[in-house]
Amino acid sequence: MKNSLHVLIIGYVWPEPNSSAAGYRMLQLIQCFLKNEWQVSFATPAQPTDHMTNLKSLKVSCHNIQVNDDTFDAFIKEKSADIVVFDRFMMEEQFGWRVEKHSPDSLRVLNTEDLHSLREARHKAVKHNTDFQITDMYSDSGVREIASIHRSDLTLMVSEHETELLQQHFQVPQTHLMHLPFMTSPLSTMQKSTRKQFEDRQHLVWIGNFRHAPNWDAVLQLKQTYWPIIRKKLKENNLNNVELHIYGAYPPPKATQLNNEKEKFLVKGWAEDASEVMQNTRLCVAPIRFGAGIKGKLYDAMLAGTPSITTSIGAEAMNGPFPWNGVITDDAEEFASATVSLYKDKTSWTLMQENGDRIIEERYDINTWEVAFINRLKRQLNLKEALRHSHFTGKMLRHHSMKSTQYMSQWITLKNGLTNKV
């Protein structure tokens, strides 16, 4: 195998690491490839945004591509990538058959961010006030996503819980899955000592992209249910000046209209530096009712040394066997009591901060995960043909479902061509 490989990433959107956990994750993958001196190209049909990261400054080759357009065929042939990474199943669905046809030797890797169908099914259960069942994932989008995972040579999962779910309930072979969480360098003793201390922090914070349904739901939960209870308990403890700050990219008018200075519920909107926001805050509150994957806000809170109060869904797959850096509860009264108790108790607060540091050190060490990731990609490349041959379900789905996707795309391409001639 050659030392320097070429990785082509087909992105769902341009990465925005300061707007979402998905953008943060994508930038980490790109930096990992670059650190190994691999050539990286990034292509997407999405429009540029104000908050997108400057990939060209990282020496990443950037390209605009079109869906349902035969020009991609020449593009993928010319790129001759060793590895093609599809950012979310929709991109594999749209471009996977073209990659297989015109660049068959490329290793096809699916980056899920989170398990979309799990998040969607949990959302539906919350809306209908029912308990989540695994069969709730047997939706159209669920079938599409699981089929995409089976078709791929390797699927990256940030959550151990979702990795196990795919193996146990959807028969995805372990050889085609890799648990790869967020990656970061543990803080040094010097870095920890320079973080703002308990006395230098104030207020509560929530942060999350407003375009992400679980985030908007959590903001409404805070406004309508949690903050009134928390504020009442704060007043009972002579903490009348504590505010709740709501940050997040792309706040719609319905979100900014929730701002109420009298209630100390302040909608701040876009945060230029989420890390600085977290560093200045004493507690992160995240009453997440549905979702999947690793919650970026809670990860950022740990990095900033900020304890968190969250739900079982919020903390899912994040801390493993280690104590949480705060409190996990699905009861609103307990959530409020824990928030106030931790807000005023320096000893408990410091202990929770230390819990967060240990979770980062034990679970997200970049030195461990980067090596494991690069080695796994090299292994998948070496065993590519053997693994494709042994995974009959994937082979079958590439034959049938990708053919239907191909024919639909070709029909749309032809239709668009005819329309343009009229």
Side-chain angles (χ1 to χ4, degrees), residues 123 125-129 206 210 212-231 244 246 254-255 258 263 265 267 285-291 309-311 313 329-333 335-336 339:
H123 189 184
V126 165
K127 285 195 292 187
H128 294 284
N129 196 27
W206 156 270
F210 282 95
H212 193 49
N215 288 338
W216 172 237
D217 178 79
V219 170
L220 287 178
Q221 289 298 304
L222 281 167
K223 176 69 174 180
Q224 298 167 0
T225 303
Y226 286 83
W227 182 236
I229 304 173
I230 293 171
R231 191 151 185 259
L244 174 55
I246 307 294
K254 63 181 180 181
L258 297 179
E263 294 177 358
F265 187 95
V267 180
V285 288
I288 299 167
R289 295 199 297 171
F290 63 93
I309 317 296
T310 191
T311 60
I313 291 290
T329 177
D330 294 315
D331 181 83
E333 283 287 343
F335 191 106
T339 300

Side-chain angles (χ1 to χ4, degrees), residues 9 17 21-36 38 111 113 156-159 178-187 294-296 299-300 302-303 317-318 359-377:
I9 300 169
Y24 178 80
R25 158 74 160 195
M26 179 50 67
L27 186 59
Q28 283 194 334
L29 297 183
I30 291 171
Q31 290 172 332
C32 181
F33 299 140
L34 293 173
K35 189 181 293 186
N36 280 273
W38 290 1
N111 179 48
E113 307 295 355
L156 307 178
M157 306 297 301
V158 297
S159 163
M178 181 180 185
H179 168 232
L180 183 69
F182 295 161
M183 302 176 283
T184 193
S185 300
L187 294 177
I294 288 176
K295 313 308 179 294
Y299 174 81
D300 288 343
M302 289 185 204
L303 290 176
M318 289 198 65
I359 292 169
I360 293 295
E361 290 165 5
E362 299 285 349
R363 306 257 309 159
Y364 302 97
D365 187 351
I366 193 170
N367 298 310
T368 299
W369 286 111
E370 276 193 341
V371 172
F373 180 39
I374 295 300
N375 287 341
R376 182 63 185 275
L377 288 176

